[in-house]
């Protein structure tokens, strides 16, 4: 039996990815491009090419690892991590189950919410403990003890609001320019 949202599935068949989207709060405009819950169950290992983009995913896993098997920096087995901007794709692999929350940050969001310069994450996959300690094991335990996606998203929103309140302020022009790009 595998948990699926608020109910259980007894199916032994593979299912495709299930995304649960969360509306990004207006306060995060220009900093957070998206927040999704992701679940996938399969009977076989899954190998995928992850395309490079202009966003920086912060991935909070419920426990199953994701192997980064094709990348110049950050190869290895990761649970929760942040992946910096990449010049090309990454190849990932997982066995049977993948469940996580993905917070898609802009480069400005990384600076304002996490206080990390983008160059420290460029072309690398970095563990949450090193790059985003606000999302530590204690936070993740609370996140995954919460049984519903709306409840999990509420925890994420509250954490991001707290980080925004104490983070550096950008000149309005910089935020506007990023949104134009």
């Amino acid at each position: 039996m595998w948990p699926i949202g608020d109910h259980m599935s007894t199916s032994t068949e593979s299912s495709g990815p299930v995304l649960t989207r969360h509306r990004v709060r207006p306060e995060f405009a220009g900093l957070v491009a998206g927040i999704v819950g992701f679940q996938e169950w399969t009977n076989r290992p899954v190998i995928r090419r992850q395309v490079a983009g202009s966003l920086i995913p912060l991935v909070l896993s419920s426990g199953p690892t994701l192997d980064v098997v094709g990348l110049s920096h950050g190869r290895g087995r990761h649970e929760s991590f942040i992946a910096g901007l990449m010049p090309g794709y990454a190849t990932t692999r997982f066995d049977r189950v993948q469940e996580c929350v993905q917070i898609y940050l802009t480069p400005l969001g990384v600076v304002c919410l996490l206080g990390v310069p983008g160059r420290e994450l460029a072309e690398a996959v970095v563990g949450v403990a090193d790059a985003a300690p606000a999302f530590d094991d204690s936070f993740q335990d609370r996140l995954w003890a919460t049984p519903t996606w709306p409840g999990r998203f509420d925890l994420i929103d509250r954490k991001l609001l707290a980080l925004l309140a104490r983070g550096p302020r950008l000149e309005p022009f910089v935020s506007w320019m990023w949104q134009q790009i």
Side-chain angles (χ1 to χ4, degrees):
M1 248 189 229
W2 296 322
I4 299 180
D6 298 326
H7 65 281
M8 301 296 283
S9 170
T10 56
S11 172
T12 58
E13 296 298 314
S14 297
S15 71
V18 177
L19 290 177
T20 305
R21 296 182 190 280
H22 177 57
R23 186 178 310 274
V24 176
R25 295 175 65 109
E27 297 94 327
F28 306 141
L31 306 175
V32 178
I35 303 172
V36 298
F38 178 88
Q39 298 170 305
E40 186 170 7
W41 302 269
T42 180
N43 294 334
R44 57 178 176 69
V46 173
I47 298 173
R48 252 189 207 117
R49 228 177 232 187
Q50 309 288 345
V51 299
S54 61
L55 300 174
I56 298 147
L58 171 61
V59 178
L60 304 173
S61 175
S62 68
T65 60
L66 183 68
D67 297 330
V68 179
V69 296
L71 183 68
S72 57
H73 299 81
R75 282 184 178 200
R77 183 161 283 173
H78 300 278
E79 285 185 19
S80 296
F81 59 90
I82 187 166
L85 294 176
M86 304 287 173
Y89 67 87
T91 303
T92 61
R93 178 186 187 280
F94 71 89
D95 292 316
R96 294 189 41 127
V97 178
Q98 187 65 41
E99 181 177 40
C100 61
V101 172
Q102 299 171 0
I103 305 167
Y104 292 97
L105 301 172
T106 67
L108 294 177
V110 170
V111 173
C112 292
L113 297 170
L114 304 181
V116 176
R119 69 182 169 276
E120 292 182 18
L121 301 174
E123 298 183 46
V125 178
V126 181
V128 164
D130 296 323
F135 294 95
D136 62 6
D137 289 343
S138 174
F139 176 82
Q140 290 183 60
D141 288 345
R142 287 192 316 278
L143 181 70
W144 295 109
T146 304
T148 66
W149 285 115
R152 292 173 186 155
F153 293 143
D154 182 59
L155 283 173
I156 296 285
D157 280 347
R158 285 189 278 140
K159 177 61 77 175
L160 291 172
L161 285 168
L163 292 170
L164 181 62
R166 69 174 190 242
R169 297 282 177 234
L170 293 175
E171 293 293 326
F173 177 76
V174 173
S175 296
W176 176 83
M177 184 57 83
W178 177 255
Q179 290 176 349
Q180 301 311 303
I181 294 172

